[in-house]
Amino acid sequence: MIKLSRKITLNVNGKNYEVLCEAGENLRDVLREKLGFLGVKKGCDFGGCGACTVIIDDNAVYSCMTWAYKAEGKKITTIEGLSSGRPLHPVQEAFIALSASQCGYCTPGIVMSALALLNKNPKPSFEEIKEALAGNMCRCTGYVRYIKAIVNACKNLKKFE
Amino acid sequence: MPELGYFAPDEYLKPNSIEEVVNLLQRYGDKARIVAGGTALYELAKRGMIPQVKKMIDLEYLNLRYVRSDEEGIKIGCMVKIYELANSPILDIHPYYSIKEAALNIRPVQIRNMATVGGEICSAIPFLDLPTVFLALDAKLRIIGPKGERKIDMDGFYFDYFLTSLGNGEFVIEVMIPKLPDKTGSAFLKFERTAVDLPLVNVGVSLMNKNGECKNVRIALGGGRTHVRIKSLERALEGKRFNDKILDDIVQSLSDEFKPISSAHASTEYKLEIAKILLRDALLIAYKRSQGD
């Protein structure tokens, strides 16, 4: 049987990458294994844990459930593109300051979810933060520090812009 | 059911016109599958349930991403994402507000950002939320196929788990919710184990309040083998005034009409008890809203 692979152009963190993809491949595998963005984690592989969260066109999505071909022509942001050479992003800084991670596996996903929230709503309420993190699982810390870190990050957002 | 096996499609197609989609669906038949948001398809693929699918047809380039209101009612394109539905100002008016409630309570936000209205309807997974609300609001589906367009009531669209009345080469392009009369109230409630799970059961209700009497009652439930309207209960409530006895009777007779499927999460009996409580609450909320509160 012939397998039709096609070269697609993915815009990741503001840069265009040409990559050979098969129809049934998901975005996470392409980002991790073909383009080397290892900040996109593989967790449950079923759209439940949120470790693979990336931002596509301002919306947080699960990259495991996104077909690679569907992401063609859209703006993809991964954790690697957050500070893009500049000092750390306020969300990252706030996470470090509060040690808001333990094993760290879920952290990139949570930072991306937090960023998608803050981009739309720079002053979220406690409930809104909880809602935004509902799709990210952390089995170590219990979310309290994440939420505190996000509240702290709101205060420093302006300076970064 | 076809045998389980690896999902290995050989082509991902991005048609630009509706005719093209119909042609592709006809040409490839069972070998083709439509990708709307891609979330349900991904789960099926990962579970090895669709090894026969070789062509993926993405509808993203068809311009079916709109929510608009005209003299017929509210029209929702099948490629509208759930978050767009949840943010749409058109659905703020009262009888339609339950659509918004259901959309907002589909969690997590990542799924709201990916999943589409058409996908929720056509994947025919009986636990999803939007079909329940649409059924309770008398929605109609616009279906395009090789023989042209047809419009059907959503009631009767579902045959069984994963099975709809869509024929070869057909696909849904729009959901239409007719204009509901004044003094109509609607409500949607669901019960899930965790905030990000599919619900065990969900209930959608709409009714019109005519001087205290119920008219045009619609009761829809999800969680059985398919989404269903419970017509005997609708008839039992028609023209009645609300009181505790009527509500108790209605809720009790649900046992004969609704059979939730048992799963690892909960038994049929448990789900039925939950459904009764949800139905009672939903009827009360809808009634209250129909008074204009």
Side-chain angles (χ1 to χ4, degrees), chain B residues 86-258:
Chain B
N87 294 335
S88 166
I90 290 173
L91 301 176
D92 279 334
I93 330 161
H94 229 313
Y96 309 107
Y97 189 68
S98 57
I99 302 176
K100 209 164 181 167
E101 274 180 321
L104 270 172
N105 285 307
I106 293 170
R107 293 201 183 79
V109 61
Q110 284 96 327
I111 296 290
R112 285 208 295 276
N113 290 340
M114 301 167 78
T116 61
V117 172
E120 281 253 328
I121 291 169
C122 296
S123 45
I125 299 169
F127 307 102
L128 299 179
D129 294 335
L130 289 181
T132 310
V133 207
F134 287 147
L135 271 175
L137 292 173
D138 253 347
K140 296 188 171 32
L141 301 177
R142 248 178 86 198
I143 296 173
I144 297 269
K147 288 184 198 128
E149 191 181 319
R150 67 186 175 113
K151 237 183 209 172
I152 60 158
D153 273 338
M154 208 169 143
D155 180 30
F157 180 65
Y158 296 111
F159 285 140
D160 204 347
Y161 215 102
F162 293 136
L163 196 65
T164 66
S165 66
L166 285 176
N168 188 21
E170 287 187 322
F171 70 108
V172 174
I173 61 163
E174 187 181 87
V175 188
M176 207 271 282
I177 294 142
K179 260 211 155 52
L180 296 165
D182 282 351
K183 296 239 166 204
T184 299
S186 69
F188 171 80
L189 291 173
K190 65 171 174 176
F191 184 84
E192 71 254 282
R193 291 178 312 134
T194 68
V196 290
D197 205 357
L198 287 177
L200 300 180
V201 278
N202 53 25
V203 178
V205 164
S206 81
L207 53 87
M208 189 196 142
N209 186 338
K210 201 178 177 196
N211 307 323
E213 288 175 3
C214 300
K215 293 267 182 230
N216 296 340
V217 186
R218 299 281 180 272
I219 297 173
L221 283 135
R225 280 195 75 85
T226 64
H227 291 92
V228 281
R229 282 251 312 268
I230 314 279
K231 290 186 181 156
S232 59
L233 299 196
E234 293 172 0
R235 279 195 297 273
L237 205 58
E238 196 75 30
K240 300 272 168 52
R241 282 172 190 278
F242 259 45
N243 59 43
D244 275 347
K245 196 184 162 301
I246 294 243
L247 276 179
D248 286 343
D249 288 350
I250 292 279
V251 165
Q252 279 319 316
S253 44
L254 188 63
S255 321
D256 309 325
E257 306 290 336
F258 180 56

Side-chain angles (χ1 to χ4, degrees), chain A residues 1-4, chain B residues 7-11 31 51-55:
Chain A
M1 192 187 64
I2 8 145
K3 266 239 151 80
L4 300 175
Chain B
F7 178 61
D10 51 28
E11 217 170 347
K31 285 206 167 96
Q52 80 280 14
V53 173
K54 295 294 171 206
K55 311 281 172 189

Side-chain angles (χ1 to χ4, degrees), chain A residues 38-55:
Chain A
L38 296 178
V40 185
K41 301 293 182 196
K42 180 173 178 176
C44 68
D45 206 8
F46 259 106
C49 73
C52 66
T53 303
V54 298
I55 296 180

Side-chain angles (χ1 to χ4, degrees), chain B residues 6-7 14 67 69 71 86 120 122 195 203 248 258 262-263 281:
Chain B
Y6 283 116
F7 178 61
K14 296 178 172 180
V67 182
S69 159
E71 62 278 2
E120 281 253 328
C122 296
V203 178
D248 286 343
F258 180 56
S262 77
S263 64
D281 290 353

Side-chain angles (χ1 to χ4, degrees), chain B residues 8-62:
Chain B
D10 51 28
E11 217 170 347
Y12 193 102
L13 302 153
K14 296 178 172 180
N16 289 317
S17 72
I18 286 172
E19 296 77 51
E20 227 178 303
V21 179
V22 173
N23 284 340
L24 287 169
L25 282 174
Q26 258 191 309
R27 189 179 330 149
Y28 294 118
D30 265 359
K31 285 206 167 96
R33 201 53 82 90
I34 283 180
V35 183
T39 52
L41 193 70
Y42 180 78
E43 295 228 359
L44 293 182
K46 271 282 151 185
R47 290 191 162 90
M49 287 164 85
I50 44 171
Q52 80 280 14
V53 173
K54 295 294 171 206
K55 311 281 172 189
M56 298 160 80
I57 304 173
D58 197 331
L59 301 190
E60 201 157 320
Y61 304 88
L62 287 192

